[in-house]
Amino acid sequence: MNNTNLTAYEARKLLKSKEVSSAELTTKALRQITENNEKLNFAISIELDYALKMAESFDKTACKGVELNSIQGLPIAVKDNICTVFSKTTCASRMLKGYVSPYNATVIDKLSDSIITAKLNMDEFAMGSTTETSYFGAVKNPHDIEKSPGGSSGGCAAAVAVTDALMTLGSDTGGSIRLPAAHCGVVGLKPTYGSVSRYGLIAFASSLDQIGPICKSVKDTAMLYDAICGHDKRDLTSIGREYPSALKCLTGNIRGLKIGVPDEYFTSDINEDVKTAIFKTLTTLEKLGAELIPISLKHAQYALSAYYIISSAEASSNLSRFDGVRYGYRRDDNSSIEELFVNSRTEGFGDEVKRRILLGTFVLSEGYYDKYYLKAKQTAQLIKSDFQNAFSAIDVIATPVSFNTAPKLNQKRSPVSVYSEDFCTVSANLCGIPAISVPCGFDKDSMPIGIQFMADSFREDLLLNTAYAVETELNLFQWARRESYVR
Amino acid sequence: MCDNLISNIGLEVHAELSTDTKIFCSCKNEFGASPNTNVCPICLGLHGALPTLNEKTLQYAIKMGLALNCSINSRSEMARKNYFYPDLPKGYQISQAEKPICENGYLEFLSEGKVKRVNIERIHIEEDAGKLIHSEGKEQSTYIDYNRCGVPLIEIVTRPDIESPRQAKDFLETIKSILSYLEICDCKMQEGSIRCDVNVSVHKDGEPLGTRVEMKNVNSFSGVFSAIEFEQHRQFEILKAGGTISQETRRWNDAQGRSEVLRTKENANDYRYFPEPDIPPILLNYDYLNSITIDKSALPNLKAINYYLNLGLSQTDAVFIASDNELKQFFDLCNGIKQDYSNTTAKWIMTDILKHLNKNRLALSQTELTPEYLIELISLIEEGTVSSTGARKIFEAIIANDSLSPHELAEKLGLIQISDNSFLENLADDVIEKNEKSVTDYKNGKDNALGFLIGQCMKKSKGRANPALISNILISKLNK
């Protein structure tokens, strides 16, 4: 197999025509993952034996004339907060170091014919925007190892960028799929809330979390989304409806598409290179027949505060189960049950996780619930109606993913300044709508820039097609295919 | 108990629902299985696992809501109650807070000779927690059994309308009888199927309600009675001495018959309730709500009130019969045949019938006794056809599964009383003639001589003489 920087979509064609076997694809992916991981630290567990065995057994059944569809036989890697029985699921926390789940997440069951190769590094419990809060160390950006890949699914974005035919599953609570995708020059889709089952995803903020694909190309992204979406009766927030194939909607034709451009997302905080790249992209789309319409989302400025209150509140409750009693990290020499709770949690969680638990506990406390949690929920409702109103007149909304390109690692920054990275992404989670990040250019240091599109619920087709037009027209993808990124 | 001091008692009753499976997963809901065998990722609270909702739980809660005259909310919401305890695997209990499934009802029941009404604030659904088992001996280990995690509960919360320990106990007995009538709880007290928290406050007549003290861990109805008595007394004493009651949570120790402080107001738990994001609001449409019905007229509390007020049964008999489905139906059928006999019917049920059923561990349906037979039997006594002693013999024959009717049995067993006047006159003459001494005694004012003479008549007639008639005949003859 001589192809380099192969997309999953291309690999699938080769697999179908029997030009390549699953074992060959998997072997190559595993080799790249293992080699690059030494420099980039994007994987927590690499399942060499398991993946090869699965690929070989796939090849055997495939030979007997199994109809190849979907993403069978292709290498996949998943964020380490998605439960798997065949590999550890650590959530990048000391709390769950070595933990093996007794059950598979629904998305893992749905990918049973794909080859899961690795569990990927992330911010601890998905809390962070740089992948620096991982107990297993920060992930490095393949475009510049001094820089962060973004977070919290930084491991996914980094792995995808440097591994042939690899597709990954990340999770997105406030931008955790889109931000690393933008910083690493790959595609990331946060699907509509309720379109992908959360069963088996270690919850950070249950009302905002959503699993989604991070892949090399828009086609790969659509392919993986098609494979994982759908109703799951084990998740009461999962929505039962038709899920037409997103891949089949990729025409690149966006004639007549109404693109809303909200003022509020182009403030003075935005980096000039980012701004230029985004507007250049929008102009390109206009040339393709799309209509640019200035809009206003007037509560956008409150989204970040509402998001951090709601997500921390839910997190404080979701993470209560890690108490050292049944499993996970436990300090043993305690004189009381209270000490066991306190010591195990103090030592098992990292600083950022503890900060969110404290914040969340505070905003739910008696006397503060109405002032913070309830207000945040009401604010989210206002933001939602802003978006609903906007979607009555336009098809998609275009914004930056982040005001900046990838930040340097190991900066001493205040938590609030780190939280501000999520300004552009959190609204989609608060509204439950789908959003995609697709590469649209580079800054003066050749670091990738992403553009974000948001659409109304279950309009993944619109998002992916718009992103496909960007990808095809800007032809950035060729750049992303250069021999080696790792400097 | 103490002049011009009034107690206000509120109860929070937890009842385990007897559904086949747990509230949020499909694990079996059964008592007594080996520890940690009825568990799965959901009820063990493993991260990533998500709850589903057992529809039976809603049905059962709505039934109880209807029985307690609540309004059923077409939109209710699950909420998380956050606290740390080793038997609570998720670190929160999924319960209901602001929007419970049932609200604003009331319960009327018999207590202290009156119809008492207690307002119901709410009924909500929630999951039970696991059980801690502390090993004895020097090892001092604690084991945790998570089988009970996720067993569905309803919590019934009353307004502080109860005024005495007796009323509290009667309230609980009534709740138990309703749960049992609706077949939504197996009501096994020893298995903890019904548990109770008690709130007590005391205030002077004419003043606002006093400070509330909560007592946890009260696991029997007699415990509730004693716990309230103890707490009333404790608060009375404090107030009499000029002190103030502090808001606190106490733990009832049934063995020692006293309560001790568990938490003061300062270190009270803040449960940080918020809507459960994993379970969308529960929306019940009109058709669904209409599909859940109960037969209100057969509710044990309403039956008991009817028996007591309209049929004149004693409170004890009324409550007892109304609380037992089979006895209640039997009694109602008897009553339908002849209402005049309702009191006698109740007496028969409460004495001979129950004694027999209990002794032989039988259900009424396992005997030949039918409402028709019992009424016929009572008629035989009332009409003087058989004596009460004779009736008892007939009853024994019926329950020994003789299929003959009471009248047939009376004839077969020769128990029909003789009321024929000339026969009785001859009998009286004969006895008077042969017992001169007793006749003299009677005339000298010894009343028990009459009893002896009646006895002789009965003996001579082999018990068949109508005792009332023979007594009258004897008296008139002796007084001549």
Side-chain angles (χ1 to χ4, degrees):
Chain A
M1 193 178 69
N2 300 315
N3 305 278
T4 52
N5 292 310
L6 196 64
T7 68
Y9 184 79
E10 290 161 342
R12 176 187 176 221
K13 272 191 181 163
L14 297 176
L15 202 55
K16 256 186 167 172
S17 61
K18 302 226 160 98
E19 285 168 71
V20 67
S21 69
S22 174
E24 283 173 291
L25 284 171
T26 305
T27 308
K28 188 169 184 199
L30 286 169
R31 183 172 52 76
Q32 289 173 326
I33 288 171
T34 311
E35 281 173 15
N36 289 317
N37 189 45
E38 286 179 20
K39 297 178 202 119
L40 303 176
N41 194 36
F42 54 69
I44 292 175
S45 311
I46 303 172
E47 298 302 328
L48 291 170
D49 298 343
Y50 171 81
L52 268 179
K53 209 178 76 196
M54 292 299 282
E56 279 160 10
S57 98
F58 174 83
D59 286 333
K60 266 183 214 153
T61 41
C63 286
K64 285 177 196 153
V66 171
E67 180 71 19
L68 264 178
N69 56 33
S70 176
I71 53 170
Q72 295 172 324
L74 295 175
I76 304 264
V78 296
K79 192 175 178 178
D80 212 20
N81 59 353
I82 296 172
C83 289
T84 49
V85 296
F86 49 82
S87 183
K88 284 172 281 196
T89 304
T90 68
C91 242
S93 179
R94 184 183 194 191
M95 188 56 92
L96 288 176
K97 190 180 169 187
Y99 177 84
V100 179
S101 169
Y103 72 96
N104 273 336
T106 297
V107 289
I108 298 298
D109 286 342
K110 287 195 161 213
L111 298 179
S112 60
D113 288 335
S114 305
I115 313 303
I116 296 175
T117 52
K119 299 294 290 289
L120 300 174
N121 206 351
M122 55 186 276
D123 279 299
E124 183 181 8
F125 283 99
M127 296 172 187
S129 307
T130 61
T131 321
E132 285 175 288
T133 71
S134 168
Y135 177 69
F136 303 102
V139 178
K140 289 158 188 144
N141 194 312
H143 298 270
D144 179 351
I145 59 168
E146 303 280 298
K147 289 188 170 163
S148 158
S152 68
S153 312
C156 297
V160 161
V162 298
T163 312
D164 273 308
L166 188 70
M167 295 186 287
T168 66
L169 283 181
S171 71
D172 190 315
T173 307
S176 285
I177 283 177
R178 291 159 284 160
L179 189 67
H183 287 347
C184 294
V186 294
V187 184
L189 172 70
K190 181 210 94 79
T192 307
Y193 185 79
S195 68
V196 178
S197 170
R198 292 186 297 116
Y199 194 88
L201 169 68
I202 301 179
F204 159 13
S206 316
S207 73
L208 308 168
D209 294 344
Q210 195 64 186
I211 294 174
I214 300 179
C215 298
K216 281 178 181 301
S217 73
V218 175
K219 276 188 174 167
D220 290 8
T221 307
M223 236 164 46
L224 185 51
Y225 173 70
D226 281 348
I228 59 171
C229 68
H231 183 240
D232 179 11
K233 61 181 184 349
R234 294 192 292 178
D235 174 1
L236 290 176
T237 63
S238 155
I239 293 168
R241 71 193 303 280
E242 286 287 308
Y243 289 89
S245 164
L247 184 63
K248 286 184 182 154
C249 297
L250 299 183
T251 59
N253 178 1
I254 54 161
R255 190 156 298 280
L257 184 80
K258 294 192 176 96
I259 302 176
V261 185
D263 272 358
E264 290 83 356
Y265 288 78
F266 296 91
T267 66
S268 55
D269 295 334
I270 193 167
N271 167 297
E272 275 309 313
D273 293 352
V274 172
K275 196 172 176 179
T276 311
I278 297 221
F279 280 116
K280 256 173 87 177
T281 309
L282 290 175
T283 312
T284 309
L285 293 175
E286 201 173 19
K287 279 183 200 146
L288 290 174
E291 191 184 341
L292 300 183
I293 302 166
I295 60 165
S296 172
L297 298 166
K298 57 180 189 296
H299 296 98
Q301 53 178 315
Y302 305 113
L304 203 57
S305 313
Y307 166 77
Y308 272 93
I309 289 169
I310 295 168
S311 65
S312 302
E314 291 182 15
S316 73
S317 175
N318 281 331
L319 270 59
S320 293
R321 70 194 73 210
F322 304 107
D323 57 7
V325 172
R326 290 159 303 278
Y327 60 90
Y329 179 80
R330 175 200 279 195
R331 238 281 286 280
D332 271 321
D333 55 333
N334 306 291
S335 62
S336 68
I337 185 71
E338 286 75 20
E339 263 189 29
L340 180 136
F341 292 153
V342 171
N343 291 336
S344 303
R345 288 168 68 79
T346 303
E347 293 167 19
F349 290 135
D351 286 348
E352 185 55 33
V353 171
K354 281 187 268 194
R355 186 173 1 255
R356 310 263 183 133
I357 291 174
L358 289 174
L359 177 62
T361 304
F362 172 73
V363 299
L364 289 175
S365 298
E366 211 178 316
Y368 297 100
Y369 178 89
D370 290 355
K371 212 167 150 187
Y372 294 107
Y373 180 78
L374 207 60
K375 273 275 175 320
K377 285 296 245 189
Q378 289 163 342
T379 308
Q381 204 52 49
L382 290 175
I383 295 165
K384 211 171 177 174
S385 14
D386 283 354
F387 276 82
Q388 284 312 314
N389 289 339
F391 288 128
S392 64
I394 53 146
D395 300 312
V396 297
I397 294 172
T399 73
V401 177
S402 169
F403 289 160
N404 296 292
T405 50
K408 278 216 173 304
L409 287 168
N410 305 315
Q411 291 185 72
K412 289 264 174 279
R413 288 202 288 165
S414 77
V416 173
S417 128
V418 181
Y419 295 172
S420 329
E421 302 263 321
D422 302 334
F423 180 91
C424 302
T425 48
V426 295
S427 287
N429 301 80
L430 291 175
C431 301
I433 57 173
I436 196 167
S437 166
V438 62
C440 74
F442 303 93
D443 71 1
K444 58 182 183 320
D445 300 324
S446 303
M447 292 304 288
I449 296 167
I451 183 169
Q452 171 175 246
F453 297 104
M454 295 179 268
D456 206 353
S457 294
F458 302 106
R459 293 315 303 270
E460 277 81 357
D461 57 332
L462 277 181
L463 287 186
L464 286 158
N465 196 38
T466 311
Y468 188 57
V470 171
E471 184 183 82
T472 325
E473 204 55 33
L474 297 184
N475 204 20
L476 293 172
F477 192 58
Q478 275 318 113
W479 183 93
R481 296 181 134 206
R482 66 189 184 177
E483 262 315 302
S484 168
Y485 305 92
V486 186
R487 297 182 194 163
Chain B
M1 188 175 187
C2 188
D3 27 77
N4 73 11
L5 282 179
I6 295 172
S7 303
N8 286 87
I9 300 154
L11 298 175
E12 293 164 22
V13 188
H14 298 85
E16 285 183 348
L17 300 178
S18 50
T19 52
D20 294 337
T21 55
K22 294 184 180 184
I23 180 167
F24 300 127
C25 62
S26 51
C27 286
K28 258 196 268 172
N29 170 17
E30 74 180 333
F31 182 86
S34 312
N36 299 312
T37 50
N38 288 335
V39 291
C40 73
I42 298 169
C43 54
L44 278 179
L46 297 190
H47 48 248
L50 296 170
T52 54
L53 187 59
N54 182 350
E55 188 263 329
K56 265 268 152 60
T57 306
L58 300 178
Q59 245 185 61
Y60 285 11
I62 292 169
K63 282 188 175 181
M64 195 59 184
L66 294 174
L68 302 191
N69 307 291
C70 291
S71 46
I72 313 298
N73 288 325
S74 56
R75 184 182 193 280
S76 68
E77 224 174 64
M78 302 308 294
R80 290 188 185 177
K81 178 180 181 178
N82 294 284
Y83 65 96
F84 287 97
Y85 205 66
D87 67 4
L88 189 70
K90 296 189 294 298
Y92 57 85
Q93 179 194 29
I94 305 180
S95 177
Q96 294 192 300
E98 278 175 31
K99 287 159 191 149
I101 187 156
C102 310
E103 273 182 298
N104 300 327
Y106 63 88
L107 175 66
E108 285 181 336
F109 59 102
L110 290 175
S111 187
E112 296 165 331
K114 288 190 293 260
V115 176
K116 171 69 187 170
R117 180 174 175 139
V118 169
N119 288 296
I120 305 294
E121 189 175 301
R122 57 190 282 147
I123 303 173
H124 67 248
I125 53 173
E126 60 185 23
E127 58 179 333
D128 210 342
K131 235 185 241 174
L132 299 186
I133 301 153
H134 302 284
S135 73
E136 284 161 21
K138 53 181 180 220
E139 193 195 352
Q140 294 234 319
S141 299
T142 297
Y143 299 87
I144 316 178
D145 178 6
Y146 289 104
N147 279 347
R148 201 176 65 179
C149 272
V151 165
L153 294 176
I154 48 173
E155 179 174 335
I156 303 161
V157 183
T158 76
R159 297 270 176 203
D161 295 345
I162 298 167
E163 297 145 312
S164 69
R166 181 75 247 169
Q167 273 182 13
K169 195 161 182 258
D170 290 340
F171 174 87
L172 290 169
E173 296 285 2
T174 309
I175 291 286
K176 184 182 168 191
S177 68
I178 295 174
L179 290 167
S180 168
Y181 164 70
L182 297 173
E183 296 179 330
I184 59 175
C185 171
D186 62 21
C187 298
K188 290 181 182 156
M189 303 301 293
Q190 69 282 8
E191 294 178 5
S193 300
I194 305 176
R195 307 189 292 271
C196 195
D197 296 338
V198 184
N199 293 290
V200 179
S201 75
V202 163
H203 70 279
K204 274 204 185 113
D205 199 4
E207 288 181 4
L209 293 191
T211 307
R212 185 173 70 112
V213 171
E214 184 178 10
M215 259 175 306
K216 294 232 172 242
N217 197 30
V218 198
N219 293 330
S220 70
F221 294 171
S222 57
V224 169
F225 188 93
S226 318
I228 294 173
E229 241 183 1
F230 176 87
E231 186 56 25
Q232 270 181 332
H233 185 71
R234 194 185 69 87
Q235 294 191 24
F236 284 151
E237 292 300 312
I238 292 173
L239 291 178
K240 273 199 288 187
T244 50
I245 310 293
S246 46
Q247 190 183 327
E248 60 194 19
T249 304
R250 301 176 70 85
R251 190 204 324 258
W252 175 247
N253 185 328
D254 212 22
Q256 290 178 20
R258 50 178 297 116
S259 65
E260 57 239 21
V261 179
L262 189 67
R263 285 188 292 269
T264 59
K265 192 190 177 188
E266 289 68 39
N267 54 26
N269 271 338
D270 177 358
Y271 291 118
R272 307 191 309 280
Y273 281 102
F274 74 103
E276 165 60 273
D278 288 329
I279 304 177
I282 300 164
L283 305 176
L284 306 172
N285 67 27
Y286 186 76
D287 288 343
Y288 179 80
L289 285 173
N290 272 346
S291 73
I292 300 168
T293 53
I294 60 167
D295 180 3
K296 261 193 159 174
S297 65
L299 282 171
N301 57 319
L302 299 184
K303 279 277 172 200
I305 291 171
N306 180 40
Y307 295 163
Y308 179 72
L309 292 183
N310 301 329
L311 303 179
L313 266 59
S314 74
Q315 183 185 313
T316 317
D317 292 1
V319 169
F320 192 94
I321 294 171
S323 302
D324 184 303
N325 266 339
E326 199 181 28
L327 294 182
K328 179 177 70 186
Q329 275 171 23
F330 187 85
F331 178 74
D332 284 348
L333 288 170
C334 292
N335 232 20
I337 303 168
K338 198 146 173 83
Q339 193 171 330
D340 296 350
Y341 293 166
S342 57
N343 251 305
T344 324
T345 309
K347 292 238 157 52
W348 269 95
I349 291 176
M350 294 298 287
T351 53
D352 296 72
I353 296 179
L354 272 178
K355 205 166 103 192
H356 172 75
L357 296 180
N358 291 341
K359 196 174 122 196
N360 299 298
R361 303 207 171 154
L362 286 176
L364 205 43
S365 57
Q366 292 169 291
T367 69
E368 290 288 332
L369 187 67
T370 63
E372 288 76 15
Y373 278 12
L374 182 61
I375 290 300
E376 192 179 324
L377 186 60
I378 293 171
S379 309
L380 290 178
I381 307 168
E382 296 283 323
E383 288 158 6
T385 314
V386 297
S387 67
S388 51
T389 324
R392 204 151 277 131
K393 282 183 188 155
I394 297 171
F395 172 75
E396 273 157 21
I398 295 172
I399 56 184
N401 288 341
D402 197 321
S403 58
L404 294 178
S405 77
H407 202 277
E408 289 164 341
L409 279 168
E411 280 178 351
K412 181 181 161 192
L413 300 173
L415 294 169
I416 299 209
Q417 292 188 130
I418 300 165
S419 303
D420 177 75
N421 221 41
S422 59
F423 174 84
L424 295 177
E425 296 253 357
N426 288 338
L427 182 64
D429 289 340
D430 190 31
V431 168
I432 289 172
E433 197 187 307
K434 286 181 180 153
N435 292 283
E436 273 174 33
K437 185 169 179 297
S438 294
V439 172
T440 319
D441 285 351
Y442 177 80
K443 287 188 169 157
N444 292 336
K446 284 190 180 168
D447 282 348
N448 56 0
L450 178 64
F452 176 78
L453 292 171
I454 295 172
Q456 288 303 306
C457 291
M458 297 309 286
K459 198 174 162 190
K460 251 187 127 55
S461 68
K462 293 183 180 130
R464 295 171 63 202
N466 183 322
L469 291 181
I470 197 77
S471 163
N472 286 341
I473 289 169
L474 278 172
I475 291 169
S476 70
K477 283 188 188 290
L478 291 168
N479 289 349
K480 260 181 194 164

